[in-house]
Amino acid sequence: MFYRDERLALFIDGSNLYAAAKALGFDIDYKLLRQEFMHRGKLLRAFYYTALLENDEYSPIRPLVDWLHYNGFTMVTKPAKEYTDSQGRRKVKGNMDIELTVNALELAPHVDHIVLFSGDGDFRPLVESLQRQGVRVSVVSTIRSQPPMIADELRRQADNFIELDELRDVVGRPPREPRDNGQELVREDS
């Protein structure tokens, strides 16, 4: 539940929200997401957290990060760490939990409601602390994927759970039409 006069802040765990939307089969339109929550209350801040690979020539997330930065989101980034695991596979680590937690606790005295876009159970103590400070907390994730993308303890702690799949029509990007390049598309019926 949202109240029109409440002060809102969005905290988006970028990799977690991306994974949840992908598991549901759609992409987030961040302009629509921001507009949706501007209608639900007085949106003071929209934070987006992500780690970036700095040594890559081109990072696929860089255009999104730049667009968000120029379109009303407060970007919080840090360099991702690359390492090789015990099986010799290249892995990337870039946890933003501490940065998100510190920012949420700092902003708590200035907001009435925080919307956390993450299903990470590590955020349960943060939600509990925010609630003790009088801030209502909504969590956006999904239980409709296999496996569910939200930790049960986080869902239980939140004042309100918002199923991401129910926001699909409001914040989802429309599916792209296949290109025909001047050629007629042929469909094969089975």
Side-chain angles (χ1 to χ4, degrees):
M1 173 171 301
F2 289 81
Y3 302 105
R4 300 275 309 140
D5 64 337
E6 70 183 352
R7 298 166 300 165
L8 290 175
L10 309 182
F11 287 83
I12 302 169
D13 177 346
S15 62
N16 198 287
L17 179 58
Y18 175 82
K22 278 295 174 216
L24 293 170
F26 73 99
D27 291 323
I28 302 289
D29 182 324
Y30 288 95
K31 182 177 183 179
L32 294 176
L33 183 140
R34 192 168 172 274
Q35 287 174 349
E36 173 63 21
F37 286 91
M38 287 173 75
H39 293 303
R40 292 186 182 207
K42 295 176 183 172
L43 184 61
L44 299 184
R45 290 278 181 276
F47 292 93
Y48 186 95
Y49 297 83
T50 190
L52 298 172
L53 282 173
E54 289 193 338
N55 58 352
D56 280 2
E57 285 281 319
Y58 172 78
S59 169
I61 197 169
R62 178 53 72 184
L64 172 64
V65 168
D66 291 341
W67 187 91
L68 290 170
H69 195 233
Y70 284 109
N71 287 278
F73 287 80
T74 301
M75 298 305 301
V76 183
T77 63
K78 73 177 180 185
K81 306 268 193 261
E82 279 189 84
Y83 67 95
T84 305
D85 71 7
S86 59
Q87 281 80 41
R89 294 177 299 214
R90 180 177 164 229
K91 296 280 188 171
V92 177
K93 183 178 180 184
N95 192 322
M96 300 293 292
D97 292 5
I98 297 297
E99 290 81 355
L100 189 153
T101 298
V102 168
N103 291 158
L105 291 171
E106 287 175 344
L107 199 59
H110 308 286
V111 295
D112 303 306
H113 193 158
I114 284 179
V115 182
L116 174 63
F117 291 79
S118 182
D120 188 338
D122 290 345
F123 288 124
R124 193 205 58 75
L126 167 64
V127 171
E128 187 178 29
S129 175
L130 292 168
Q131 290 168 330
R132 282 194 306 267
Q133 296 177 58
V135 176
R136 291 186 325 109
V137 181
S138 292
V139 173
V140 180
S141 189
T142 185
I143 57 171
R144 295 185 182 162
S145 60
Q146 284 303 324
M149 298 292 290
I150 185 164
D152 191 53
E153 63 271 15
L154 179 63
R155 185 172 171 215
R156 289 173 188 268
Q157 186 68 50
D159 294 298
N160 185 29
F161 170 68
I162 301 171
E163 171 57 56
L164 181 60
D165 197 31
E166 291 175 8
L167 292 176
R168 178 191 303 250
D169 294 339
V170 180
V171 303
R173 228 190 256 146
R176 292 184 181 171
E177 293 295 319
R179 293 185 189 169
D180 66 8
N181 296 330
Q183 300 173 3
E184 188 176 326
L185 292 176
V186 179
R187 293 200 171 110
E188 295 180 21
D189 294 337
S190 39

